[in-house]
Amino acid sequence: MSASYEDRLLAFVGREINPLKPGQDPVNVPMIRHWVEAMEDDNPIHLDEEAARATGRDGVVAPASMAQAWVMRGYAATMAPKDGGGPADELWALLAEGGYTSVVATDSEFEFHRELVPGDHVGMREVVESISPEKSTGLGAGRFVTTLKTYQDQNGEVVATQRWRTLRFKPKEKPAEQLAEKAAEEPAEKAEPKALRPRPAINRDNSFWFEAAREHRLLIQRCASCGTLRHPPGPCCPECGSFEWDTVRASGDGHVYSFVVNHHPRHPAFEFPMIVAVVELAEGTRLITNLVGVTPEEVEIDMPVVLDWVDADPELSLPVFRPVAQEGH
Amino acid sequence: MSVASPLSGAAAIAGIGATEFSKDSGRSELQLACEAVLAAVADAGLKPSDVDGLVTFTAETNGEIHVARNTGIGELKFFSRIGYGGGAACGTLQQAAMAVATGVAEVVVCYRAFNERSGERYGLGQANRPMDTSADRAAYAWMTPFGLSTPAQWVAMFARRYMHEYGATSEDFGRVAVVDRKHAAVNPAAWFYQRPITLEEHQASRWIAEPLHLLDCCQETDGGQALVVVSAERARDLPHAPAIIRAAAQGSGKDQHMMTSYYRPSISGIPEMGLVGRQLYAQSGLGPDDIDAAILYDHFTPLVLPQLEELGFCATGEAKDFIADGNLELGGRLPCNTHGGQLGEAYLHGMNGVAEAVRLVRGTSVNQPDDVRNVIVTAGTGVPTSGLVLGVDE
């Protein structure tokens, strides 16, 4: 039974669950005004024509992260939809059937292609990228569902993409009295925070990489003279000797070059067995990383993987990789 | 033989000395160093006051001045240290040989001593070491936050790739441990004396870092080892038959990292060991066919295989067959780690292996093969490394 459930679930991978649908209103100044007020965004380019022109723009532009706002259908329609029965609802129903009745958004990664201006009319379509095997999380056993939302303008031009991940989980069932008992028994243990991952030693040569990682951007150092990419980064290009460098953002595609399954010693920040891999990026450089959404038995050298992020603690976010969802599973 | 280097044959190892190898020495690391140095000097038939040079590892906690002051060595004209952990082992002998060959010093002792089991255990890794902004420390930033923190884990990454490329299996790695433990089983100085293992026991041992089982990993040891280097000429007047230093080389490869050179086009070889091997053969005028026995650094079994390939004893990817055919056994083509290696005798950062090579040249190993004229010795793998060829006096 579990196998067939898995198949039904994975049949959604690659499927469009929300077809392209334009937002209710075109991009307009009144909505921008409400939004920037609420967000306390005082950048003048959103409301002041003159200030916007002074930056080289033709006029005011909408805040980039409003992309999502233009296609929201409003509170009432969200709470009591009239048009149920689409593929998205089928997927949520199937997850609920598996016991995954609760949901929490875990991360959202935007790429903005152009700025939106009043008059643009944005629509969005959403495709399922991957559905993870069941993972045990602090909230309960659950599956990470990753979708790609593509935002297009009235001419069909892509203006932004958003990788959107939610955890659909089985809420832990704990009767209230049992919970109270447990809390009374082991208050210290419950209060104990998990050990932090080992800190990276940060210096002037590597800080840019870890700072970008905190913003979920995987960078590769590039020689500004000869263009050679290098990782781990360093101050000087081994190919041409230049000390000038910039960075490129990794596409996030790669494959497993080698991997280790750690058992001992057991650092308290990690759960064992744990997978550490060397991933070769599509750009050609390699990095040491972790694999997620896959069991040690399933990992193979050359397996295609895609970038994901782990926010280990408030100071440390790290790139990790998960298997590319296979079509037609 | 044609000798291409003035270093070849200029110096010899005339004395070796060690403490017992244990898991809890019960004394300071400095005491272990002093005991080993004095034992080596006595073995050479010399007095502490004859010593005018000391060489050790940057990883050593017992500075030259402390050893010299405590042992009565007195004045030192030459002192030098080599970095990169176990990769330093043969490099210390190269330093000594160069000092002696140039007349900078006359009697140089190389030493290494630690409480590596009862004190600071390297096997626990780098996860919780203090931070600083040095390049050496920052290099760990690419590993430890991801949980890749220990030598076993670092080696496992190479091992997995090697298996993938050449079809080697965990059993192929296990055969290295089995032959080491077989040799250790008859060596009274070995920690695993009288305790051989089978391949089945290797396979059944618990995972440490897949694909490495527990029995792929060398032990941790308290102890000290020292070796005395003098000119070949002077060695001929001393009690033991000299172990002539036919060649001594260091090597650091292109895009070298500490244990994690994962960014090279291929990671299934050990280019820095190839570089060491080419120098050893060029200096000595010898080739792989002239080598009668080997001490190959065995902190972890998998990296013994590419060493055999880099040093020219078999073709790339064929070490598994070379080993399975029994070539590392006594009576095989290349008797290997006759003391039991670091897996069987002791983990002394490779220095106990150099001492065993001296015994092989003297003809006094507990597992002495017939007709040994030249022995190759290697130092730590995965790091900038070094090697030696020791030979009988012609």
Side-chain angles (χ1 to χ4, degrees):
Chain A
M1 178 207 151
S2 69
S4 72
Y5 177 75
E6 193 80 17
D7 289 345
R8 286 164 60 204
L9 204 52
L10 292 180
F12 275 91
V13 173
R15 204 172 145 189
E16 183 178 81
I17 54 168
N18 278 310
L20 182 66
K21 189 177 169 189
Q24 298 185 106
D25 298 294
V27 174
N28 61 84
V29 173
M31 275 178 72
I32 294 175
R33 190 182 313 283
H34 290 305
W35 198 90
V36 297
E37 274 178 22
M39 292 294 176
E40 297 180 344
D41 181 347
D42 55 8
N43 189 334
I45 62 167
H46 301 313
L47 292 171
D48 181 338
E49 289 283 342
E50 218 162 287
R53 284 198 199 97
T55 63
R57 292 174 170 82
D58 294 334
V60 297
V61 297
S65 46
M66 270 191 87
Q68 219 172 346
W70 300 119
V71 299
M72 285 180 174
R73 52 184 175 173
Y75 182 75
T78 302
M79 297 315 288
K82 293 196 176 89
D83 55 346
D89 292 310
E90 282 173 38
L91 175 56
W92 311 143
L94 181 58
L95 284 160
E97 178 192 321
Y100 310 106
T101 53
S102 295
V103 57
V104 59
T106 58
D107 52 283
S108 167
E109 186 187 321
F110 262 108
E111 277 188 40
F112 301 107
H113 297 233
R114 79 160 172 90
E115 291 180 321
L116 294 171
V117 299
D120 278 333
H121 202 152
V122 182
M124 185 271 285
R125 67 187 284 260
E126 183 174 18
V127 176
V128 177
E129 245 188 16
S130 65
I131 300 173
S132 80
E134 185 175 290
K135 316 283 290 178
S136 46
T137 77
L139 293 169
R143 292 172 182 266
F144 290 94
V145 178
T146 308
T147 65
L148 187 69
K149 298 183 181 189
T150 305
Y151 297 85
Q152 298 180 3
D153 66 11
Q154 58 280 9
N155 303 317
E157 185 196 346
V158 175
V159 295
T161 57
Q162 179 188 17
R163 186 161 284 111
W164 173 247
R165 183 165 302 121
T166 55
L167 173 67
R168 305 274 163 171
F169 64 99
K170 301 172 180 171
K172 286 180 179 169
E173 283 175 37
K174 280 188 195 138
E177 56 182 46
Q178 193 186 320
L179 251 171
E181 256 178 46
K182 212 168 148 60
E185 272 169 25
E186 34 182 22
E189 193 182 302
K190 281 187 82 75
E192 188 134 359
K194 193 174 166 62
L196 296 180
R197 283 190 181 220
R199 304 287 89 186
I202 303 290
N203 67 10
R204 287 174 181 170
D205 295 327
N206 68 14
S207 59
F208 75 93
W209 193 92
F210 288 96
E211 282 162 17
R214 283 170 66 167
E215 297 163 1
H216 290 193
R217 291 181 297 123
L218 175 58
L219 297 185
I220 310 171
Q221 191 178 39
R222 176 175 61 185
C223 174
S225 293
C226 73
T228 303
L229 299 179
R230 56 185 197 257
H231 185 86
C236 184
C237 176
E239 297 301 319
C240 76
S242 171
F243 285 87
E244 303 300 318
W245 55 268
D246 56 15
T247 60
V248 293
R249 186 165 177 179
S251 66
D253 296 324
H255 67 268
V256 175
Y257 187 75
S258 190
F259 67 100
V260 177
V261 182
N262 289 348
H263 293 261
H264 298 283
R266 301 195 164 195
H267 190 285
F270 302 105
E271 282 171 21
F272 292 86
M274 68 171 298
I275 309 167
V276 188
V278 170
V279 163
E280 186 166 292
L281 298 176
E283 289 81 1
T285 58
R286 296 183 199 138
L287 76 163
I288 297 168
T289 183
N290 296 121
L291 297 184
V292 298
V294 62
T295 65
E297 296 73 33
E298 292 166 343
V299 184
E300 285 177 6
I301 286 178
D302 292 337
M303 172 185 268
V305 291
V306 64
L307 177 64
D308 197 350
W309 291 93
V310 56
D311 295 313
D313 55 70
E315 276 81 45
L316 186 67
S317 294
L318 294 169
V320 297
F321 286 79
R322 62 176 60 244
V324 171
Q326 300 295 308
E327 295 276 343
H329 240 260
Chain B
M1 77 188 73
S2 66
V3 171
S5 165
L7 188 61
S8 183
I13 301 175
I16 55 176
T19 65
E20 83 288 2
F21 303 131
S22 77
K23 301 299 174 194
D24 186 2
S25 73
R27 47 207 198 275
S28 72
E29 294 187 330
L30 180 56
Q31 182 168 338
L32 296 175
C34 292
E35 289 179 23
V37 167
L38 289 174
V41 171
D43 184 61
L46 296 168
K47 302 186 300 297
S49 56
D50 294 324
V51 177
D52 58 359
L54 287 173
V55 184
T56 186
F57 295 45
T58 57
E60 177 76 15
T61 64
N62 308 297
E64 304 89 321
I65 55 174
H66 305 298
V67 171
R69 182 168 62 84
N70 279 279
T71 54
I73 284 175
E75 292 181 330
L76 289 176
K77 296 175 188 163
F78 177 70
F79 30 95
S80 175
R81 292 197 181 205
I82 309 292
Y84 309 112
C90 299
T92 64
L93 279 301
Q94 187 200 38
Q95 290 285 298
M98 291 193 296
V100 165
T102 54
V104 164
E106 290 182 17
V107 178
V108 180
V109 181
C110 304
Y111 67 97
R112 181 81 176 104
F114 50 28
N115 286 322
E116 200 277 326
R117 180 59 181 78
S118 67
E120 186 183 333
R121 300 176 62 183
Y122 300 163
L124 292 179
Q126 295 284 333
N128 294 321
R129 298 287 173 100
M131 290 292 127
D132 62 47
T133 58
S134 69
D136 281 342
R137 179 47 51 189
Y140 291 106
W142 309 111
M143 324 164 203
T144 58
F146 298 96
L148 195 75
S149 304
T150 72
Q153 293 160 1
W154 298 326
V155 169
M157 196 72 80
F158 290 111
R160 176 85 66 179
R161 186 73 200 182
Y162 184 94
M163 293 165 86
H164 174 76
E165 292 193 7
Y166 301 130
T169 65
S170 170
E171 293 194 344
D172 293 319
F173 300 150
R175 288 187 182 93
V176 174
V178 170
V179 73
D180 269 6
R181 292 288 292 269
K182 182 179 176 181
H183 292 161
V186 296
N187 173 10
W191 177 257
F192 288 112
Y193 178 49
Q194 295 179 333
R195 282 186 282 173
I197 57 167
T198 64
L199 196 54
E200 292 67 35
E201 287 168 321
H202 168 273
Q203 289 292 294
S205 67
R206 66 190 166 109
W207 289 121
I208 297 300
E210 290 178 60
L212 267 62
H213 289 276
L214 174 68
L215 292 177
D216 288 305
C217 307
C218 84
Q219 60 191 311
E220 296 181 293
T221 299
D222 285 10
Q225 175 77 58
L227 304 105
V228 179
V229 175
V230 297
S231 71
E233 194 183 337
R234 184 163 185 181
R236 292 181 186 112
D237 298 329
L238 296 174
H240 292 288
I244 302 291
I245 298 176
R246 296 262 167 243
Q250 290 187 307
S252 176
K254 187 175 180 183
D255 200 10
Q256 180 78 53
H257 296 252
M258 276 297 278
M259 302 293 290
T260 52
S261 300
Y262 303 148
Y263 313 96
R264 294 165 167 168
S266 166
I267 68 165
S268 52
I270 313 176
E272 53 276 17
M273 192 61 81
L275 174 60
V276 166
R278 292 192 299 278
Q279 293 177 85
L280 293 178
Y281 296 138
Q283 277 181 27
S284 64
L286 302 171
D289 290 345
D290 301 309
I291 304 296
D292 306 305
I295 306 295
L296 300 182
Y297 200 90
D298 58 342
H299 50 3
F300 301 97
T301 59
L303 292 186
V304 171
L305 279 72
Q307 285 189 76
L308 289 164
E309 298 162 8
E310 295 284 358
L311 297 172
F313 295 109
C314 60
T316 303
E318 292 180 4
K320 63 183 195 302
D321 308 310
F322 185 82
I323 295 169
D325 290 344
N327 282 305
L328 304 189
E329 308 268 348
L330 293 179
R333 155 70 191 89
L334 188 73
C336 185
N337 295 351
T338 44
H339 57 320
Q342 302 193 97
L343 288 151
E345 185 185 61
Y347 173 69
L348 250 293
H349 248 169
M351 293 298 264
N352 54 319
V354 182
E356 173 67 4
V358 173
R359 287 187 290 267
L360 285 167
V361 169
R362 290 179 180 178
T364 60
S365 168
V366 291
N367 287 304
Q368 184 67 36
D370 298 331
D371 302 324
V372 173
R373 302 200 69 73
N374 297 296
V375 182
I376 198 165
V377 190
T378 61
T381 44
V383 294
T385 189
S386 53
L388 291 170
V389 174
L390 302 184
V392 298
D393 198 13
E394 299 291 341

